[in-house]
Amino acid sequence: MPATAPSDVLEKLVSLCKRRGFIFQSSEIYGGTGSVWDYGPLGVELKRNLKDRWWHAMVRARDDIEGLDAAILMHPRVWEASGHVATFTDPLVDCKNCKKRFRADDPKIKGTPGTPDAQCPVCGMKGTLSEPRLFNLMFKTYMGPVEDSASIVYLRPETAQGIYVNFLNVQQSTRQKVPFGIAQIGKAFRNEITPGNFIFRTREFEQMEMQFFVEPGTDMHWFEYWKEQRLNWHKSLGLAPERLEFHQHSKEELAHYARAAFDIQFDFGGTLGFQEIEGVHNRGDFDLSRHQEYSGKKLEYFDQPNNKRFLPFVVETSVGADRTTLAVLVNGYREETVEGESEGRTVLGLHPSLAPIKAGVFPLVKKDGMPEFAEKLTAELRQRFPVFYDESGAIGRRYRRQDEVGTPYCITIDGQTMQDGTVTIRDRDTLQQERVAADAVARIIQARLST
Ligand code: ATP
C-alpha cells in the first residue's frame, strides 16, 4: 500500500475541502471576498474539535488557567497602550500609473522605490513607484451613529489585550495566585497586505491565546516550560514530529514587546515549507505596565504570603486555529494505491479526536433487514459521537468517501449480522476489518477515540 504525498498538496486540498464541505470561499456567488473563507458542515466540526482539544488541555485539565471570552470591540485607548496604533504597520509603495500597491520589501520590485529607476512589477513603468509609506493593519470602524474621529473603534488584531485589561477582574474573582494563566479563543482581524495560501494567512481568523502571569525572575523558567508544553500539544494532534521545529527570533525579529520569542513552525511542504503556526513569547511587564500607564489604574498583583505588590511578567502562547487546521489537513492528506484494486484512494489521516465524522455505518445491501439494523445502530452511536449513515452504492465507494474526509472507522452490517448479531469495523489506516458484537461497537469506538 505505497503512499504518495504530493509535494504541494494545497491545491488538492482546496478542491477537496470545497467538494466535501470543509471550506468554501466567502461570498462565492458574488465572486468571492479577498482571502476570507467559510467553514462548511465538515470544516466546522474539524475546527471545533481542534479548539476543544486546546481548551481542554489549557483550561479544563489544569487548575492554574482560567477561561475568558472578551469582546472584539474594545476601548480605542487599548490599542494606543498596546502599541498597535503606532507600530502595527507594514511599509507600502504605490504605483502612480497602475494604482497597484506592494510591500516595500516585495522582491519583484526592481530598484529603490521613490527613485526614477524603480520599476513597477505589474505595469513595468519606470519611476512611478512612491516612497514607502506606513500602512496600519488594523480594521477601523465607527461606534454609534456619528462617523467622526471621536467614534473610531478597531476590530481587534489579537485577542491578548482582552486578557490584559481583565487581569485583575479574573484574578480577584477566582482568587488565583501568581503563577496562573488566562486563556481565550476568538476572532482577530488584520488587513494583511499579502494574504493567501488558502486559510494560512487571511484577514479574519481565529486565535487561541493564553497569557501566563508570573513573578519577575521566574519568566525564563516558565518560557521554557510553555515552549515544551505547546510543542507536545501539536504532536498530540498527530502532526509528524519531523515536520515540527522551533524557530528562535533574533534580536532584529523581536517585536517591540518581547524579551524572548520562539515560533513553533510546521513544514507545509511545497512552496511554503516551514512556517509559523504558534508563537511563544516572553512579554515581560510591557503590557500590564502600559495599560496601567494609559488607564491610570493600578494593575499590580498583591502577594499575600510575602506581603508585596508587583507587576507580573507575562509568558504568552498564541496559536492560530485556522492555520493549525491547515497544518492538520496538510499533514493528513495522502494518496494511495491499494493492493489488488485498480482504483487508488485519497485519505485524510486525521487524528480520530479531530475527525468530523467518527464512524460510517453501512448496510451491505438494501434488503433482508440490514438497513433497519444499521439505522438502529446509527441512532445508538449518535448519542455518543457524529455518525454518517450511508446505504447507497457499492460498499467500496462508500468506504472511499469516508477515507477522503478522515472518518477513522466504518461499520458494515452484512448477512452474518442477521444471523449472529456481529458487524465488522474497518480501520481507515490499516484497512483491517474485525468482527465484533454489534452491542459492543459503541464502547469499542469510544475507547479508541479517547486514546
Ligand atoms: P505572521 O508572521 O505569519 O504574520 P505573526 O507573527 O504576525 O504571524 P502572531 O501575531 O504571533 O503572528 O499571531 C499568532 C498566531 O496567529 C500565528 O502563529 C498564526 O497561527 C495566527 N495568525 C496570525 N496572523 C494570521 C493571519 N493573517 N491568518 C491566519 N492566522 C494568523
Side-chain angles (χ1 to χ4, degrees), residues 360-424:
V361 179
F362 312 146
L364 188 60
V365 288
K366 264 197 271 186
K367 56 179 190 194
D368 303 335
M370 292 183 210
E372 292 74 13
F373 193 101
E375 274 169 19
K376 211 167 138 247
L377 182 60
T378 300
E380 184 201 332
L381 298 181
R382 278 207 179 121
Q383 300 302 314
R384 309 202 189 204
F385 42 76
V387 175
F388 186 77
Y389 175 80
D390 189 1
E391 57 176 28
S392 56
I395 191 82
R397 286 198 82 90
R398 284 183 261 168
Y399 285 143
R400 278 198 188 85
R401 282 183 62 77
Q402 292 309 306
D403 291 342
E404 198 184 42
V405 297
T407 305
Y409 306 107
C410 287
I411 299 147
T412 302
I413 287 80
D414 56 14
Q416 196 175 326
T417 312
M418 306 321 291
Q419 286 164 19
D420 64 8
T422 61
V423 299
T424 58

Side-chain angles (χ1 to χ4, degrees), residues 190 192 200-202 205 207 276-278 318 320 323:
R190 297 181 187 178
E192 300 275 8
F200 178 81
R201 189 184 303 285
T202 52
F205 55 98
Q207 288 187 315
E276 167 183 348
I277 51 176
E278 170 152 7
S318 174
R323 205 175 278 185

Side-chain angles (χ1 to χ4, degrees), residues 31-253:
T33 333
S35 290
V36 186
W37 299 89
D38 297 338
Y39 286 77
L42 294 186
V44 65
E45 293 287 345
L46 171 61
K47 186 155 79 142
R48 183 164 295 179
N49 290 339
L50 183 83
K51 290 187 286 183
D52 284 350
R53 291 234 6 201
W54 187 87
W55 192 258
H56 180 80
M58 300 300 272
V59 181
R60 296 202 167 152
R62 327 180 38 118
D63 58 9
D64 59 352
I65 299 185
E66 304 287 344
L68 182 75
D69 185 9
I72 288 172
L73 299 175
M74 300 182 75
H75 195 289
R77 291 273 285 165
V78 166
W79 306 109
E80 290 171 30
S82 69
H84 282 85
V85 172
T87 60
F88 196 54
T89 51
D90 271 348
L92 295 188
V93 297
D94 291 297
C95 173
K96 289 173 197 131
N97 180 47
C98 70
K99 312 283 183 230
K100 286 280 186 316
R101 201 166 240 198
F102 317 91
R103 280 172 71 127
D105 60 0
D106 190 326
K108 295 191 295 299
I109 295 178
K110 295 199 183 77
T112 312
T115 65
D117 294 338
Q119 192 173 341
C120 173
V122 171
C123 70
M125 287 276 273
K126 257 189 176 176
T128 54
L129 293 183
S130 71
E131 299 248 343
R133 281 181 303 148
L134 290 178
F135 175 82
N136 196 291
L137 300 185
M138 281 195 292
F139 281 96
K140 261 186 213 167
T141 186
Y142 300 95
M143 181 98 99
V146 186
E147 295 194 4
D148 63 12
S149 59
S151 58
I152 286 181
V153 289
Y154 300 96
L155 299 188
R156 66 179 177 203
E158 62 176 28
T159 61
Q161 301 303 324
I163 291 180
Y164 300 132
V165 300
N166 278 298
F167 162 64
L168 279 188
N169 280 338
V170 173
Q171 191 270 320
Q172 288 166 359
S173 58
T174 61
R175 306 170 77 191
Q176 282 280 2
K177 297 194 177 29
V178 165
F180 78 98
I182 306 177
Q184 101 159 324
I185 300 177
K187 289 268 176 144
F189 303 83
R190 297 181 187 178
N191 201 359
E192 300 275 8
I193 311 307
T194 45
N197 289 311
F198 198 24
I199 53 171
F200 178 81
R201 189 184 303 285
T202 52
R203 296 195 169 105
E204 173 178 344
F205 55 98
E206 254 181 307
Q207 288 187 315
M208 306 186 283
E209 294 197 301
M210 192 280 299
Q211 315 294 318
F212 204 71
F213 300 90
V214 305
E215 191 170 342
T218 65
D219 44 309
M220 283 317 285
H221 159 77
W222 285 109
F223 182 68
E224 291 302 325
Y225 170 85
W226 280 112
K227 268 173 60 189
E228 212 50 44
Q229 289 284 315
R230 296 305 306 146
L231 183 67
N232 287 340
W233 183 79
H234 287 286
K235 288 183 185 160
S236 80
L237 301 179
L239 294 183
E242 66 276 13
R243 296 183 87 150
L244 288 165
E245 67 179 29
F246 282 120
H247 163 76
Q248 179 171 16
H249 283 215
S250 63
K251 273 215 161 63
E252 296 72 49
E253 285 175 274

